[in-house]
């Protein structure tokens, strides 16, 4: 009698357990198919149910929001802005740049030392340079990703920020388009002015003079990399490797190309431009000097590059 009762009970339990298992499986499948952030071809380890992604940073994997809403950028803020990222905190140098003034209205200026201030901003992502001294403290506040300045070229850096913000497609689309437009402009410049035309990029703060290589902002990436224009041999010898070279005013003519891009503060003293040394440079005599404001030219992000591409196209070709 006991055996006869026991068998039906076991069968009933098996039916119930089986039904629960099927229900659980069905719910999981429905949830997975309803999730807009899950890509069928994406490894499961990169997307979490909590709306995060695993970003492979140079220091290792970091779990970050798949759509960050409150970003503190102690570095690379312009790259974030170019992709429509929402900043709640920014470094002082980006904040001082006229190109970003409108986009940074109401954004708090912070440094790595402002831990309480950063905490109060309630960020969901922090971006900084690897040179910061307190990365562990920042990580306690929010997921923190650091980059080594200059480790990536200007286009690769934009691509990485795109991956970090889950906007890789947008970043790559801009990269492809910019490269095409800048290369076309370079070909047009060479067709008009000659294949061997040389360009020098100088900067002065009224006291010191510098000449730049091909990767030190001030539009050097556009001129030498994207457009493929030439730098004078003297510049190549002294500035290409280190990125820049400090000059005395007396030797500036030795580094001057057929065209000069001059980076200086618009409100700074320009007495040097009235000196005999400067006035006798062939590029100056021929009015082949394109001036840019130092404050707007010290980054290599898409916003800055688009701004400078327009200036260069007009300066070399006489058109926008």
């Amino acid at each position: 009698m006991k055996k006869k009762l026991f068998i039906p009970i076991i069968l009933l339990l098996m039916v119930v357990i089986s039904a629960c298992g099927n229900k659980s499986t069905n719910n999981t499948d429905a949830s997975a198919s309803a999730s807009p952030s899950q890509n069928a071809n994406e490894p499961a380890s990169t997307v979490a149910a909590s709306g995060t992604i695993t970003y492979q940073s140079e220091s290792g994997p970091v779990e970050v929001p798949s759509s960050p809403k409150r970003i503190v950028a102690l570095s690379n803020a312009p790259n974030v802005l170019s992709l429509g990222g929402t900043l709640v905190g920014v470094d002082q140098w980006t904040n001082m740049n006229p190109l970003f003034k409108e986009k940074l209205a109401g954004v708090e200026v912070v440094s790595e030392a402002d831990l309480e201030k950063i905490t109060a901003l309630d960020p969901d992502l922090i971006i900084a340079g690897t040179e910061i001294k307190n990365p562990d403290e920042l990580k306690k506040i929010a997921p923190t990703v650091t980059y080594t300045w200059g480790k990536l070229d200007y286009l690769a850096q934009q691509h990485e920020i795109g991956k970090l913000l889950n906007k890789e497609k947008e970043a790559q689309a801009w990269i492809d388009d910019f490269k095409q437009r800048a290369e076309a402009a370079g070909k047009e410049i060479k067709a008009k002015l000659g294949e061997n035309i040389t360009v020098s990029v100088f900067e002065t703060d009224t006291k010191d003079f510098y000449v730049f290589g091909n990767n030190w902002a001030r539009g050097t990436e556009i001129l030498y990399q994207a457009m493929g224009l030439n730098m004078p041999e003297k510049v190549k010898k002294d500035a290409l490797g280190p990125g820049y070279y400090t000059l005395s005013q007396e030797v500036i003519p030795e580094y001057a190309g057929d065209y000069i891009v001059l980076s200086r503060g618009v409100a700074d003293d320009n007495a040097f431009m009235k000196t005999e040394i400067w006035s006798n440079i062939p590029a100056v005599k021929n009015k082949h000097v394109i001036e840019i404001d130092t404050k707007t030219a010290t980054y290599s992000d898409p916003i800055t590059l688009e701004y400078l591409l327009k200036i260069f196209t007009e300066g070399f070709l006489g058109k926008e």
Side-chain angles (χ1 to χ4, degrees), residues 127-179:
I127 304 172
T130 51
E131 75 280 358
I132 59 172
K133 299 177 181 178
N134 58 349
D136 292 336
E137 294 300 316
L138 290 174
K139 290 175 184 177
K140 293 177 183 177
I141 300 173
T144 300
V145 173
T146 57
Y147 296 100
T148 299
W149 188 91
K151 185 172 184 177
L152 300 173
D153 69 33
Y154 70 113
L155 297 178
Q157 183 64 72
Q158 179 66 9
H159 187 256
E160 280 303 308
I161 296 296
K163 287 166 63 177
L164 174 63
L165 302 184
N166 209 11
K167 295 187 175 186
E168 185 175 3
K169 288 184 179 179
E170 293 93 325
Q172 189 62 52
W174 176 83
I175 290 170
D176 294 340
D177 178 60
F178 178 79
K179 286 172 65 176

Side-chain angles (χ1 to χ4, degrees), residues 193-238:
L193 304 175
E195 283 290 328
N196 298 318
I197 180 178
T198 58
V199 184
S200 299
V201 181
F202 292 126
E203 183 171 293
T204 178
D205 55 10
T206 71
K207 179 182 178 182
D208 297 310
F209 285 84
Y210 310 91
V211 64
F212 296 99
N214 68 350
N215 62 350
W216 211 266
R218 284 79 174 173
T220 55
E221 292 89 351
I222 301 175
L223 297 167
Y224 301 127
Q225 296 186 44
M227 286 183 171
L229 302 181
N230 304 303
M231 62 178 65
E233 286 302 318
K234 190 80 169 170
V235 177
K236 190 181 297 184
K237 175 179 177 293
D238 293 334

